Amino acid sequence: MEASAVSHIAICTRDMDRALHFYRDLLGMEVIFDGFTDPTEGGRLHNYERARQSRRRVSLRFGPGKKPTLTLTSHPGETLSGAPLKLDQMGITHFSFTVPDPEALMEDLVAKGAQLGGPRASFVNAAGRVRSFYVYDPDGIIIQFDSGLNEG
């Protein structure tokens, strides 16, 4: 396989407004598409746990030309099943974004009401710096932010 990048990450959310508050308002992502699509179009229902009648899709990015994009989907008026995975469960457990200053971002997100994915002390490395941390999005999905230096 030849691939140049991950094109997008998709998350199904129970509440699009809460998810947008987190990803757009707290993280500063830019909405590049917001609309309804037909989940039955293109024969994709076999990828759903059960048949869906509605689907709202919102695509976001961190800036012009930035990859990957993030796709939020919801199914207005329909109940969703399932729970977010923890790091030791089968499946995609989290995704991570590389940021220039994880510690400053962590402090900013906490001040804005984001829920840390553990005690603050658990994100401090041996050198006393925050190089990586987790938060939970409004649906309890783990989101990681790291320095890109792979130093813990």
Coordinates of all heavy atoms in Angstrom, one line a residue, residues 2 29 42 65 87 90 95 100 107 109 118 148:
E2 N 0.5 2.2 -0.8 CA 1.1 3.5 -0.7 C 0.1 4.5 -0.2 O -1.0 4.6 -0.7 CB 1.5 4.0 -2.1 CG 2.8 3.4 -2.6 CD 3.2 4.0 -3.9 OE1 3.3 5.3 -4.0 OE2 3.6 3.3 -4.8
M29 N -11.0 24.0 16.3 CA -11.1 23.4 15.0 C -12.1 24.2 14.1 O -13.0 24.8 14.7 CB -11.4 21.9 15.1 CG -10.3 21.1 15.8 SD -10.7 19.3 15.7 CE -10.1 18.9 14.1
G42 N -25.5 4.5 -1.1 CA -24.2 3.8 -1.4 C -24.1 2.5 -0.8 O -23.0 1.9 -0.7
G65 N -5.6 23.1 4.8 CA -4.7 22.1 4.3 C -4.2 21.1 5.3 O -3.4 20.2 5.0
L87 N -8.0 2.2 27.1 CA -6.8 1.9 26.3 C -6.4 0.4 26.2 O -5.6 0.0 25.4 CB -5.6 2.6 27.0 CG -5.7 4.1 27.0 CD1 -4.5 4.7 27.7 CD2 -5.7 4.7 25.6
M90 N -10.1 -3.9 22.9 CA -10.0 -4.1 21.4 C -10.7 -3.0 20.6 O -11.8 -2.6 21.0 CB -10.7 -5.5 21.1 CG -10.7 -5.8 19.7 SD -8.9 -6.1 19.2 CE -9.2 -6.8 17.6
F95 N -7.1 8.7 19.8 CA -6.2 9.3 18.8 C -5.5 10.5 19.4 O -5.8 11.0 20.5 CB -6.9 9.7 17.5 CG -8.1 10.7 17.7 CD1 -7.8 12.0 17.5 CD2 -9.3 10.2 17.9 CE1 -8.9 13.0 17.7 CE2 -10.4 11.2 18.1 CZ -10.1 12.5 17.9
P100 N 2.5 22.1 19.8 CA 3.8 22.7 20.2 C 4.0 22.8 21.7 O 5.2 22.6 22.1 CB 3.7 24.1 19.6 CG 2.3 24.4 19.2 CD 1.6 23.1 19.1
E107 N -3.4 23.2 30.4 CA -3.9 24.2 31.4 C -5.0 25.0 30.8 O -6.0 25.3 31.5 CB -2.7 25.2 31.8 CG -1.6 24.5 32.5 CD -1.9 23.7 33.7 OE1 -2.9 24.1 34.4 OE2 -1.2 22.7 34.1
L109 N -7.2 24.0 28.4 CA -8.4 23.1 28.3 C -9.0 22.9 29.7 O -10.2 22.9 29.8 CB -8.0 21.8 27.6 CG -7.7 21.9 26.2 CD1 -7.3 20.5 25.6 CD2 -8.8 22.5 25.4
G118 N -7.2 11.6 33.7 CA -6.4 11.2 34.9 C -5.9 12.3 35.7 O -6.0 13.5 35.3
G148 N 5.1 15.3 20.2 CA 5.7 14.8 18.9 C 7.1 14.3 19.2 O 7.7 13.8 18.2

